[in-house]
Amino acid sequence: MHARTVRFRQVDVFTSVPFKGNPLAVIFDADDLSTEEMQAIARWTNLSETTFLLRPTDPEADYRVRIFTTSMELPFAGHPTLGTAHALLESGYTPKQAGRLVQQCGVGLVPIVERDGGAWAFAAPPARIEPLDDARQQRLAAAFAPGVIDFNAPPCAVNNGVPWLVARLKTAADVLSLAPNRDAMTAIAADTGTLGLAVYGPHAGATPATFELRALLYGAETGEDPVTGSANAALACLLTTQGARPGLSYTVRQGTVLGRDGRVFITYDDHTADARTWIGGHTVTVVEGTFRF
């Protein structure tokens, strides 16, 4: 029996320095792989996500991607979007439109555009936002250290293809020291239908970034995600809804507690008809080779 081989890259997303962002496995030439094979590969890579590049079925798209965690398929995720685009471009692909890619995935078509300095940014998908009622807010507060939640920006469940419970803390230091009660948070995540908690807080003087963010997983996946595009997209959309933007652009640091140094760049494009919100960052390739199975 002959082994099957496909091209493979492992990239590090939201960083220009290897090993400081969020790793992603990208499998090329995946049209002949079954869903079961994709899930088995994703389970084996043991990364937060593995993506599979396929020919698009929509004529507007440059490519189609399927995104898998170790246990399930996702309709959208942020760092896989940027990481897959980087791997495709580095492989020699020429976009249909210079400086712009269109990704086809479970939530539809996602534009990705080139920014200064080699960074790329994706357009945040539309988000469904549901504020927590008083009872859930009280349960959330009880799961945290006393007095750290900033209720001037009420916690909300935000779903842009990945459902997050987004809460603002008073300071970045509160975010870094946060250790919520796991049992309480697991119950709250189940009750709100969210993957986990995206918690953020401001840095004094916007140094080293405007906000510190952590993404703590309490659903089918557990643990802490190093740098999270979907959570940052959820936050960016929520800030707009709550009238709490820090300006037309801001930066987020994520992964600090895990020894990473992720940087996410958010830009609000209010001068176009569709007024998109862009979530950007750098990506570097760490491993390149052939996947054999």
Side-chain angles (χ1 to χ4, degrees):
M1 181 177 179
H2 296 289
R4 298 166 63 187
T5 60
V6 292
R7 291 177 296 153
F8 161 80
R9 274 181 169 83
Q10 186 165 314
V11 301
D12 206 9
V13 187
F14 290 121
T15 181
S16 55
V17 180
F19 316 125
K20 289 296 184 180
N22 198 353
L24 172 76
V26 183
I27 309 297
F28 291 75
D29 315 313
D31 293 275
D32 294 332
L33 297 180
S34 68
T35 297
E36 292 74 20
E37 287 172 323
M38 292 181 189
Q39 185 64 77
I41 292 170
R43 188 177 301 115
W44 183 84
T45 66
N46 203 33
L47 297 174
S48 58
E49 280 96 10
T50 298
T51 62
F52 297 84
L53 271 162
L54 306 102
R55 291 185 294 270
T57 57
D58 190 307
E60 294 185 28
D62 285 88
Y63 63 96
R64 184 163 67 97
V65 67
R66 294 182 68 178
I67 304 167
F68 287 80
T69 73
T70 56
S71 63
M72 62 184 176
E73 184 172 5
L74 298 176
F76 170 78
H79 101 273
T81 294
L82 291 184
T84 303
H86 169 86
L88 179 65
L89 289 165
E90 198 175 65
S91 75
Y93 176 78
T94 300
K96 292 182 177 180
Q97 181 179 335
R100 185 176 189 270
L101 290 167
V102 177
Q103 171 181 284
Q104 181 184 359
C105 59
V107 296
L109 300 180
V110 178
I112 310 165
V113 296
E114 188 173 12
R115 296 303 198 199
D116 294 338
W120 284 71
F122 66 86
R128 184 176 69 252
I129 298 173
E130 298 179 6
L132 268 62
D133 58 30
D134 290 343
R136 288 188 176 93
Q137 288 192 32
Q138 291 175 14
R139 288 172 58 198
L140 186 65
F144 287 12
V148 298
I149 297 179
D150 183 356
F151 284 106
N152 291 315
C156 293
V158 184
N159 192 336
N160 54 16
V162 181
W164 289 102
L165 178 56
V166 183
R168 181 180 178 120
L169 303 191
K170 292 179 180 177
T171 69
D174 290 330
V175 173
L176 292 172
S177 63
L178 184 68
N181 181 284
R182 174 162 291 278
D183 290 341
M185 284 307 308
T186 300
I188 292 170
D191 186 41
T192 56
T194 52
L195 180 70
L197 174 70
V199 60
Y200 72 103
H203 279 282
T207 302
T210 312
F211 296 119
E212 189 78 28
L213 186 143
R214 294 175 67 189
L216 306 173
L217 306 173
Y218 296 105
E221 309 291 330
T222 60
E224 180 166 353
D225 197 51
V227 202
T228 318
S230 62
N232 275 283
L235 171 57
C237 293
L238 180 60
L239 291 173
T240 296
T241 299
Q242 294 181 333
R245 290 182 186 176
L248 289 178
S249 64
Y250 67 90
T251 57
V252 171
R253 185 178 74 172
Q254 189 181 348
T256 309
V257 172
L258 301 176
R260 312 292 176 86
D261 190 21
R263 289 292 193 279
V264 185
F265 309 110
I266 290 82
T267 304
Y268 295 105
D269 186 0
D270 289 345
H271 304 296
T272 59
D274 51 7
R276 293 188 185 277
T277 299
W278 298 95
I279 314 299
H282 291 90
T283 302
V284 293
T285 298
V286 178
V287 180
E288 180 180 357
T290 302
F291 201 100
R292 180 182 301 172
F293 60 101

